[in-house]
Amino acid sequence: MAGRYVVEAPPHAKATQAALDSGYFVANASTTNVLATELATACARQDALAGGADEGSRPPTALNVWLLVRDASAGLAVVGAAFYSDAAAALAGGRPGGSRPPPYLCPMPPDAARALADAVFGSAPSAGDADGTDLARASNRDDSATALRRFAGGVHAFGVAGAAAAATDFARRCCEIGAVLPAFRVETSLTLYQMSSPALLQAPACAGKPRTPPPQRREGDGDADRDDEVLDWIARCMRGFHDELQRPGESPSHSAFKTSFGPRLSGGLITVWLDDTGAPVSLAGFRPAAGPAAISRVGPVYTPPEQRRKRYAAATVANCTRMAFECGARSVILYADTNDLGANELYTKVGFQVVDGGNAVELQFV
């Protein structure tokens, strides 16, 4: 098996997307949506910067790490992918267990995940020859080494996440070669759900109504006067969400949440449900459709504890899903905490179905 897999570090998002827009994305459409969304965002940013957009204080795109695993026995076809942004780590102060996702692995064969671990931690060649076959698409070796070091740094600091089988195979190999602490534990386990058609959507009867998204408002709509108030409420909800995950010390600041969610609220990518008094009681966001399969992902979803068991969450998720389909999605997915029985029951009742083999995990080394 040695030498069968080669790891490539494309220099930027567009090069990565070009390599993936064929068989790999098609074969793993729902389970690679997280990667597809990240790539779409990075490519849009790359276009904006190329067009002279103001960089401002945001971290440079170069801090994104994209890794591809190719199979030399199959014409160097892409069989796996991973990504990491150490720009986010820099914003989190480089804290172990910081409030940002760890390096993420998409589905890949077990031996490919092991080969990726070997390449990341220097136990095998990367972006070079595989069984004597030159990888013409390989990026500069120095750039590849830098990307692999950044990815390794993310693994050391934050663990690894992604498709359950791939992340577990990768983590186990990291432990075997002594690159990390000797064991790992499952920090989070997520179940993947998918809705393939808006005809499957089941919206429950519920008091109140969704707040009119800014792009759909008419002149003189009073909702506009409350945008900042609602954004404050969303930021408080997200702090509560982090607290419930038992990560209160890792939660970004109130202002950071407002900065992050402001564009999504103004862009109509967040459903806020209002009760009969007009007060916000539940929220759900979605990401625009991404990848060749045009899949949209719902999240985050949050209802304050005092507003639960009133069907607000189900109504909010149903409305958010409807909006995703109306914005061009051919399919909608979401992840639920595997151990949260209430959430899993809610998503099933709304019309989502479990994706076999789609579970994801976040692993921490111990």
Side-chain angles (χ1 to χ4, degrees), residues 5-153:
Y5 296 103
V6 61
V7 177
E8 175 189 358
H12 49 69
K14 285 198 167 185
T16 306
Q17 192 171 58
L20 290 172
D21 269 348
S22 53
Y24 183 73
F25 265 159
V26 173
N28 303 277
S30 58
T31 52
T32 56
N33 178 261
V34 174
L35 172 62
T37 301
E38 292 294 325
L39 276 173
T41 301
C43 287
R45 178 179 168 77
Q46 192 174 329
D47 285 340
L49 293 177
D54 183 17
E55 170 69 9
S57 59
R58 298 175 67 182
T61 304
L63 290 176
N64 288 329
V65 175
W66 315 99
L67 299 178
L68 305 178
V69 184
R70 294 180 180 273
D71 186 347
S73 71
L76 292 174
V78 175
V79 295
F83 70 90
Y84 172 62
S85 172
D86 61 2
L91 292 177
R95 292 183 291 116
S99 55
R100 43 148 322 280
Y104 191 97
L105 272 67
C106 294
M108 63 185 75
D111 286 327
R114 294 169 62 85
L116 177 61
D118 288 343
V120 166
F121 289 102
S123 299
S126 62
D129 294 336
D131 291 340
T133 304
D134 180 64
L135 181 59
R137 302 181 188 87
S139 56
N140 178 276
R141 285 181 183 272
D142 290 339
D143 291 342
S144 296
T146 298
L148 292 169
R149 283 195 299 271
R150 286 176 173 161
F151 196 92

Side-chain angles (χ1 to χ4, degrees), residues 41-261:
T41 301
C43 287
R45 178 179 168 77
Q46 192 174 329
D47 285 340
L49 293 177
D54 183 17
E55 170 69 9
S57 59
R58 298 175 67 182
T61 304
L63 290 176
N64 288 329
V65 175
W66 315 99
L67 299 178
L68 305 178
V69 184
R70 294 180 180 273
D71 186 347
S73 71
L76 292 174
V78 175
V79 295
F83 70 90
Y84 172 62
S85 172
D86 61 2
L91 292 177
R95 292 183 291 116
S99 55
R100 43 148 322 280
Y104 191 97
L105 272 67
C106 294
M108 63 185 75
D111 286 327
R114 294 169 62 85
L116 177 61
D118 288 343
V120 166
F121 289 102
S123 299
S126 62
D129 294 336
D131 291 340
T133 304
D134 180 64
L135 181 59
R137 302 181 188 87
S139 56
N140 178 276
R141 285 181 183 272
D142 290 339
D143 291 342
S144 296
T146 298
L148 292 169
R149 283 195 299 271
R150 286 176 173 161
F151 196 92
V155 173
H156 276 299
F158 304 109
V160 63
T168 301
D169 291 330
F170 176 89
R172 186 175 291 119
R173 179 57 176 169
C174 289
C175 294
E176 288 175 358
I177 61 178
V180 294
L181 294 172
F184 59 90
R185 66 166 184 260
V186 178
E187 190 76 9
T188 305
S189 178
L190 301 174
T191 299
L192 177 62
Y193 287 86
Q194 184 168 21
M195 189 181 298
S196 58
S197 167
L200 299 174
L201 186 60
Q202 302 291 323
C206 180
K209 65 178 183 179
R211 188 170 186 264
T212 305
Q216 298 177 17
R217 289 180 190 153
R218 298 178 180 178
E219 188 174 352
D221 193 323
D223 272 352
D225 297 334
R226 298 187 60 195
D227 280 352
D228 198 59
E229 176 186 336
V230 170
L231 189 55
D232 273 322
W233 176 81
I234 291 173
R236 291 195 299 272
C237 284
M238 290 298 95
R239 292 296 295 270
F241 179 71
H242 274 256
D243 289 352
E244 290 186 34
L245 290 176
Q246 298 182 340
R247 300 177 180 178
E250 305 170 8
S251 180
S253 67
H254 185 85
S255 60
F257 276 125
K258 290 186 68 175
T259 299
S260 174
F261 282 87

